[in-house]
Amino acid sequence: MKKVLFLLLLPITTFAQTAGTYIQNGNARANEKDYKAAVQNFTRAIELNDKSSDAYFYRANANGNLRDFKSAIADYAKTVELKPDFTTAYFYKANAESNIQDYQAAIDDFNKAIALGPKTAEMFLYRGNAKSNLKDYAGAIADFTIALQLSPDKAEIYEYRGLAKNNKGNYAAAIDDYDIAIKLNPKKSAVYGYRAGAKASIGDQSGAVTDYTTAISMNPQNAEAYLYRANAKANLQDFKGAIEDYKMAASINPELKNVFLYLANAQSKMGDNKGALDYFNKSIEQHPRFGLLYLYRGIVESNTKNYTAAMDDFDKSILLGNKTAETYQSRSYAKLSAGDASGAKLDADTAIAIDPKNINGYISRSKAKLAMKDTTGVMADLALAITINGKSDEAYLVRGDTHRDLGDMTAAINDYTKAIQVNPNYTYAYLNRAIEKDKMNDKNGAVKDFEKLINIAPKKEEAYVRLGKVTDFYKYTTNGVQLFTAAIALNPANSNFYLHRGEAKATAGDIAGAMADYDTGLAKDPKNTAILLKRGLVKAGKEDYTGAMADFNTSLKIDSISDAAALPYQNRGYIETKQGNYKAAMKDLDKAVSIFSNEETFLFRGDLKLILKDYTGAADDYHNAVYINPAYVKALAHSGIAKSYLGDAQGVTDDFTAALKADPNNADTYADRAAAKVNLKDATGAVADCNQAIRLNLKHARAYLQRGLAEIALNDKADACADMNKAAEFGSKDAPAIIAKYCK
């Protein structure tokens, strides 16, 4: 009995002292980082005294250090149950909950810790991180800002606030925070990477490259930094530098997502699909069981239109276990390109089944459905893609392309605009939108889009080529000379770049510079008929008709049948008219009309018929010119003259009313109407029109000459001869003969 009493009484006589001793031993073990032994001691203390908040708290800390966060959370919960005002326990419990990604519970406990106080920067910092993980970036930024008020020199807080701002899309403000974080702690490579990403997001690719370079210098094994620096270089069209970085990233971490795809794309951009294939061939030799390599080699083979080889590689990738949505989606694209629309749809279906949120799967399936004439299905799939991610620039781009292919240019432009709103640096969206605007005759909008595209990607040669194809592009920009100077630096062998710079120079009044560019362009390509035409027109404008005719003749020897040949025929006919060679002129102008007529072709032929007194034929040609361009002032005015010879007074009135409505301050129109009024025996009205022409242009030679003729009709010889002499003074070539006739 005594023995039994002894065993029962022993714990009672040693209870308090033993629990405290275990706590002391546990803390000693924890200080030595022997957390398992610490947990054992704290557990023994709890067994002896389950009301000891300290024992639960210390065991929670030890479990946390062992990364057994669930046990730690349970012990912190017991701690605050026993000691409800223990701020630190709530704070630590919240951190443990963050570690198991239970961010809402963490926020609730951070709230309790903050309410109990005292408030510290760490409380707001960690609560802000939890909010960021729940995508409550505004709340996170607010917490980080309070943390900075409590601890203004802590680089880490600026770093995290910068990340929250970045995730909220406020890249400029994020960069400001990263700047301060780097100033406070210039040796943390990750912050340079974050700042680089923000710079890339606002289009500062050069700044991004600089920051990634710094991050790499601090950590040469940072595969992600090489990958993202490569992306920035690719955006700067530095594909050679990008390829070097992609290869470095792949050598450090061959499983880095998309590294091989980006590498293949960069080599393809350089036109080096062979180089890309060589690289993948070597990589496959080294890693023959690595399914991703077959996938990306297949993508390169697709780019080279070797769809059979591509599909073999996609099959191999799948056989090796790479049964990803991307693999099926890529095979879908290859099948579609090879003409197997139904097979492409099946693969896209599989990609979507694997990953119902795979936007590219819906995009590929939409393309397959388009080939199968299922327009409703196309739009349904693209709508699903956009529903999944309303900020998918590619989804809007592809839907825009679909609208384009269906002939709905307005809808296409709207979708390209949405793609640009999502991604202001989306080069393909600017390119495609510019092309559609050009088709819709929005030349100004097209040129502005091409300029933006070139600003984003100054080494994208296609942008310059497309810009030059916009009819009279030089009328819609003041930067034509600079743009094509850059294009020439990019590719000095492209003769059309000299043509377009010459056009821009001519528009700016630099005729000599334009001629120099036309000459250089023809030296690069003597058969460039567009340059021959432009140079011929400049020569004609300088009244070098022999030189102009030589250029037009050379152009027509090279090409006399395509639509482009119409302009050399037209302008050769114009010069022949000037030289009085009317038969040859009519032949050339008839040929131009038969090939491809524009309003100027009909104007020139109408003027020739007017000279030949074929007034009805002239009026018909002017009518055709106005039909093409209803606001063509010169054709309207000349039509009025032709009708005046036919005695059609109402027709004269109608034509000149339309001409002056289109351009109320055109002195030539008033001079032309004066000529028509003379023909209609309205000499007084003719004088009034000449007066108006002279008010608009004090040196208008033809107005003075026409007024002189009207004054002859009014028997006012003195004033008539004075006006005719004025006309001669201002350069009228017709005046001397008329003076000789009336002013002897």
Side-chain angles (χ1 to χ4, degrees), residues 87 90-91 107-128 131 143 146 150:
T87 300
Y90 283 111
F91 180 54
I107 290 169
D108 292 341
D109 280 328
F110 283 130
N111 291 342
K112 291 172 185 175
I114 290 168
L116 286 169
K119 296 173 176 61
T120 67
E122 285 74 15
M123 291 177 179
F124 291 98
L125 169 62
Y126 296 144
R127 188 174 72 176
K131 288 179 179 179
D143 273 351
I146 296 171
L150 297 168

Side-chain angles (χ1 to χ4, degrees), residues 27-88:
N27 282 330
R29 299 291 79 76
N31 287 332
E32 294 169 357
K33 300 189 185 315
D34 184 358
Y35 300 116
K36 286 185 179 181
V39 167
Q40 291 170 356
N41 277 279
F42 296 134
T43 300
R44 184 63 181 141
I46 290 167
E47 289 170 351
L48 294 172
N49 180 6
D50 64 359
K51 303 298 181 184
S52 172
S53 62
D54 286 348
Y56 284 107
F57 179 70
Y58 294 139
R59 188 172 71 174
N61 291 344
N63 277 320
N65 284 317
L66 289 170
R67 305 196 68 74
D68 181 1
F69 298 115
K70 289 185 178 180
S71 295
I73 291 166
D75 279 345
Y76 287 130
K78 190 66 178 177
T79 302
V80 296
E81 178 187 324
L82 295 167
K83 194 174 182 180
D85 60 349
F86 194 180
T87 300
T88 304

Side-chain angles (χ1 to χ4, degrees), residues 319-564:
L319 184 65
L320 289 170
N322 188 37
K323 298 178 180 181
T324 64
E326 182 184 14
T327 310
Y328 285 101
Q329 184 269 323
S330 298
R331 191 171 70 176
S332 170
Y333 173 80
K335 286 181 177 179
L336 181 62
S337 299
D340 180 8
S342 59
K345 180 183 177 297
L346 287 174
D347 271 346
D349 287 340
T350 304
I352 292 166
I354 293 169
D355 180 4
K357 293 187 177 181
N358 183 304
I359 289 178
N360 289 329
Y362 291 101
I363 291 171
S364 288
R365 191 167 71 179
S366 73
K367 290 180 177 179
K369 288 179 177 178
L370 183 62
M372 297 168 75
K373 311 298 184 186
D374 179 9
T375 305
T376 303
V378 171
M379 289 305 176
D381 274 340
L382 291 172
L384 281 170
I386 291 167
T387 300
I388 291 167
N389 183 1
K391 292 187 176 181
S392 170
D393 50 4
E394 186 180 7
Y396 286 115
L397 177 78
V398 174
R399 192 170 71 177
D401 289 346
T402 304
H403 283 305
R404 175 199 64 196
D405 294 343
L406 293 171
D408 189 346
M409 290 181 284
T410 300
I413 289 171
N414 288 339
D415 271 337
Y416 296 142
T417 300
K418 289 176 182 176
I420 289 167
Q421 288 169 347
V422 172
N423 179 3
N425 296 308
Y426 200 3
T427 56
Y428 291 109
Y430 281 107
L431 175 65
N432 291 1
R433 188 172 73 173
I435 292 169
E436 294 310 297
K437 285 181 177 180
D438 188 27
K439 289 179 185 175
M440 294 188 73
N441 209 34
D442 178 9
K443 307 298 182 186
N444 184 58
V447 169
K448 292 296 178 287
D449 273 350
F450 282 127
E451 286 192 275
K452 179 65 177 178
L453 170 57
I454 289 167
N455 183 56
I456 296 169
K459 293 185 179 180
K460 192 176 183 68
E461 187 173 345
E462 183 184 6
Y464 299 99
V465 172
R466 289 281 191 174
L467 172 62
K469 289 181 178 180
V470 177
T471 304
D472 298 338
F473 77 90
Y474 40 83
K475 293 180 180 178
Y476 308 102
T477 177
T478 58
N479 301 316
V481 174
Q482 298 94 310
L483 288 167
F484 283 101
T485 297
I488 289 166
L490 197 62
N491 183 2
N494 189 324
S495 63
N496 282 326
F497 290 162
Y498 296 95
L499 163 66
H500 302 320
R501 188 171 71 175
E503 291 173 319
K505 286 181 177 178
T507 301
D510 180 10
I511 303 302
M515 289 298 283
D517 272 343
Y518 296 150
D519 290 344
T520 303
L522 286 169
K524 301 280 183 183
D525 180 8
K527 293 186 177 182
N528 190 319
T529 56
I531 302 180
L532 286 164
L533 173 66
K534 287 290 181 177
R535 191 173 71 173
L537 290 172
V538 172
K539 289 177 180 178
K542 296 167 67 177
E543 298 189 359
D544 175 11
Y545 295 132
T546 301
M549 290 292 281
D551 278 344
F552 297 146
N553 290 338
T554 302
S555 177
L556 290 169
K557 284 180 183 177
I558 297 166
D559 174 19
S560 62
I561 57 175
S562 76
D563 287 354

Side-chain angles (χ1 to χ4, degrees), residues 11 28 103 118 144 177 197 238 267 290 301 332 402 423 427 434 479 483 555 564 574 592 626:
Y103 299 116
F144 295 137
D177 276 347
D238 177 12
Q267 287 179 303
F290 190 20
E301 288 161 340
S332 170
T402 304
N423 179 3
T427 56
N479 301 316
L483 288 167
S555 177
Y574 173 79
V626 172

Side-chain angles (χ1 to χ4, degrees), residues 178-193:
Y178 296 142
D179 288 344
I180 299 172
I182 288 169
K183 184 177 180 181
L184 292 170
N185 181 11
K187 294 185 178 180
K188 189 169 183 180
S189 64
V191 185
Y192 289 97

